[in-house]
């Protein structure tokens, strides 16, 4: 090796060390102004999470917030993360049109979701958001109610095979139901996951979300070079092949179908399309909107479309599974709540067996309160992440450039300062009159808020209402007496480590 190369290497190393030291020192100075746990060289606070199980990680963060306050700095190696449960801080953050970049932790999703709506920013985000927003117009959502009903019937048929005195973990069953719903709604194809419970796609989603969660809190897996040497990387790579292959097949089939000359003749006034014999249904799916969209006069390519479809398969499947499972658990756990929901269903539907409409589901106002209370205690996304590209001050707290800002939606929902008697399940706390008593609305943001709020929240709530009605029309539900309570973990979405074990007894309405 020549002396020139050695000198260049030394100079580069020194410059890198100086830049890193200045950057880290600035972060350390700003972090010192906040209350937080003591840090150690190289690992920061990584020792608090090293080797910890997902439920232990959630409990550790909760304890840190209780001990140090509503704005707590943490260092995972050299990465700085600030956990926030102060609604006034969160209001400024989520309302901002400039602080819309996702935190570094979200970049771990990029191999899966690419530059889709969840991860992208700037002009590309604005263009994609504009394209996708009409997909959730009420006229299109009304079409999806039929999908909810159809897949809900399959779900009920499966539950009918379970003995009334036999407890069952509903989480994997709900997972298959939501996968069928989102496949038909987003892609216009049928997965038949409920009838084929050993779904390769479902298992791939489980594997990749588990890997992503472990990587977020294991300081040894956060750097890309170390991660690629780990067993977790091999698990991720295997899962990604399954996920991307599935989406690619559907996109190609759907694009070819839409290119057929007779396709235009099959369309009707409702924007429905013909059945190609490929298992593609007649509804105008999310994928159809993307296939027909243009940017600067040019159609989106297959990679652009895959990014958005994969994003919606993730967000419309995994998060909704969490919401539905905890909703059914809450209804089963509190008989008075269940009785009121059933009475409301009877008031709206009577003995009519018609397919519910959006209007019917909208009239279920008490069920809406139950969903809101469920999501206070069990928000599907327990932590929302942002990142500031440059140093910024919010409510007298200076956030260094590049630091992650983690909004603790889960922790705020259980804070007695915001919700008195937080462990009590009380849907009435969300009535119009009681909601006015909430001091700051940003203490309750289960679907985020501001310009980057959840674009599919109406879809999610409709799906939750639809399946709850379908199940409660057919069953009295109760918690399995051998099941104490869900042990919670935050693997990107909130999950029960021990499942959700319920019993189903035939109901006579």
């Amino acid at each position: 090796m020549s002396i020139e190369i050695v000198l260049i290497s030394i100079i580069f190393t020194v410059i890198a060390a100086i830049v890193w030291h200045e950057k880290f020192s600035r972060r350390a100075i700003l972090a010192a102004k906040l209350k937080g746990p003591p840090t150690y060289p190289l690992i920061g606070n990584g020792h608090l999470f090293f080797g910890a199980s997902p439920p232990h990680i959630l409990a550790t963060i909760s304890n840190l917030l209780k001990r140090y306050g509503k704005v707590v700095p943490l260092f995972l190696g050299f990465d700085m993360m600030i956990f926030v449960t102060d609604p006034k801080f969160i209001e400024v953050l989520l309302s901002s049109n400039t602080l819309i970049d996702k935190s570094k932790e979200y970049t771990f999703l990029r191999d899966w979701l690419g530059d889709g709506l969840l991860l992208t920013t700037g002009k590309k985000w604005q263009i994609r958001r504009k394209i996708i927003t009409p997909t959730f117009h009420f006229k299109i959502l009304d079409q999806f109610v039929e999908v909810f009903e159809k897949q809900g019937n399959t779900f009920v048929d499966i539950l009918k095979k379970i003995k009334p005195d036999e407890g069952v973990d509903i989480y994997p069953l709900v997972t298959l139901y939501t996968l069928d719903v989102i496949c038909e709604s987003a892609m216009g194809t049928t997965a038949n996951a409920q009838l084929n419970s050993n779904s390769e796609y479902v298992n791939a989603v489980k594997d990749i979300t588990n890997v992503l969660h472990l990587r977020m809190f294991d300081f040894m897996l956060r750097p890309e070079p170390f991660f690629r040497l780990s067993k977790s990387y091999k698990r991720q790579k295997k899962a990604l092949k399954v996920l991307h292959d599935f989406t690619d097949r559907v996109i190609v089939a759907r694009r070819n179908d839409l290119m057929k000359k007779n396709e235009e003749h099959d369309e009707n006034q409702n924007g429905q399309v013909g059945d190609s014999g490929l298992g593609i249904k007649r509804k105008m799916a999310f994928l159809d909107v993307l296939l027909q969209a243009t940017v600067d006069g040019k159609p989106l390519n297959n990679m652009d479309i895959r990014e958005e479809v994969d994003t919606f398969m993730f967000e419309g499947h995994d998060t909704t599974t969490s919401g539905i499972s905890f909703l059914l658990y809450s209804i089963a756990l509190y008989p008075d709540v269940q009785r009121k929901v059933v009475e409301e269903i009877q008031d709206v539907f009577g003995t009519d067996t018609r397919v519910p409409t959006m209007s019917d589901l909208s009239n279920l106002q008490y069920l809406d309160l139950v969903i809101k209370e469920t999501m206070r205690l069990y928000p599907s996304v327990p932590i929302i992440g942002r990142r500031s590209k440059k140093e910024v001050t919010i409510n007298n707290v200076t956030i260094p450039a590049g630091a992650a800002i983690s909004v603790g939606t889960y922790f705020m929902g259980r804070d007695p300062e915001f919700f008195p008697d937080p462990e009590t399940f009380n849907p009435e706390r969300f009535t119009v009159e009681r909601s006015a008593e909430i001091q700051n609305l940003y203490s309750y943001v289960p679907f985020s808020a501001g310009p980057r709020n959840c674009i599919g929240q109406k879809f999610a709530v409709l799906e939750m209402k639809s399946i709850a009605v379908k199940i409660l029309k057919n069953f009295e539900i109760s918690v399995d007496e051998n099941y104490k309570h869900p042990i919670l973990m935050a693997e990107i979405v909130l999950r029960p480590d021990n499942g959700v074990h319920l019993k189903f007894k035939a109901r006579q309405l």
Side-chain angles (χ1 to χ4, degrees), residues 216-250:
M216 286 179 184
F217 289 95
D218 189 334
F219 66 92
M220 290 297 293
L221 293 179
R222 288 173 70 88
E224 190 69 21
F226 292 171
F227 174 64
R228 288 181 175 271
L229 295 174
S230 69
K231 292 181 180 178
S232 294
Y233 175 70
K234 294 179 181 178
R235 283 179 63 202
Q236 174 175 294
K237 191 174 180 181
K238 182 179 178 181
L240 282 176
K241 186 176 187 327
V242 172
L243 298 170
H244 286 161
D245 284 354
F246 180 85
T247 307
D248 287 341
R249 285 197 302 270
V250 174

Side-chain angles (χ1 to χ4, degrees), residues 109-116 119-120 244 307 311:
L109 286 161
R110 197 167 297 279
D111 287 341
W112 179 14
L113 307 183
D115 233 5
L119 302 181
T120 193
H244 286 161
E307 290 174 345
T311 295

Side-chain angles (χ1 to χ4, degrees), residues 5 25 54 64 71 83 104 155 160 183 220 279 353 364 367 384-385 387 391 432 440 483 509:
I5 295 177
S25 296
L64 290 172
V71 182
F83 275 90
K104 178 180 178 179
F155 193 14
K160 285 180 178 178
C183 270
M220 290 297 293
T353 57
L364 298 170
L367 179 55
I384 300 169
R387 178 178 63 89
E391 189 172 298
V432 175
N440 191 307
Y483 178 79
L509 283 180

Side-chain angles (χ1 to χ4, degrees), residues 157-171:
D157 289 342
I158 291 170
L159 293 177
K160 285 180 178 178
K161 297 177 182 178
I162 301 169
K163 296 178 181 179
D165 59 346
E166 184 180 321
V168 60
D169 179 8
I170 64 161
Y171 202 91

Side-chain angles (χ1 to χ4, degrees), residues 62 66 333-334 373 376-378 410-416 419-426 429 485 488:
S62 180
K66 289 176 182 177
L333 187 61
Y334 301 103
E373 180 70 343
R376 174 183 71 83
L377 289 168
Y378 308 102
Y410 169 82
F411 310 105
M412 287 192 295
R414 294 167 180 262
D415 191 327
F419 299 98
D421 197 12
E423 298 302 320
T424 297
F425 191 87
N426 178 20
R429 74 170 83 231
H485 56 79
L488 303 176

Side-chain angles (χ1 to χ4, degrees), residues 99 177 183 254 410 470:
L99 295 170
Y177 160 77
C183 270
R254 193 79 181 189
Y410 169 82
K470 177 63 64 175

Side-chain angles (χ1 to χ4, degrees), residues 351-396:
T351 58
D352 199 331
T353 57
R354 69 181 185 278
V355 174
T357 63
M358 275 191 64
S359 178
D360 291 328
L361 297 177
S362 297
N363 286 332
L364 298 170
Q365 297 178 7
Y366 182 72
L367 179 55
D368 196 57
L369 300 181
V370 175
I371 290 173
K372 288 179 179 178
E373 180 70 343
T374 298
M375 300 201 76
R376 174 183 71 83
L377 289 168
Y378 308 102
S380 296
V381 181
I383 299 170
I384 300 169
R386 290 287 188 272
R387 178 178 63 89
S388 178
K389 290 182 178 179
K390 59 183 180 180
E391 189 172 298
V392 62
T393 299
I394 301 177
N395 286 17
N396 298 319

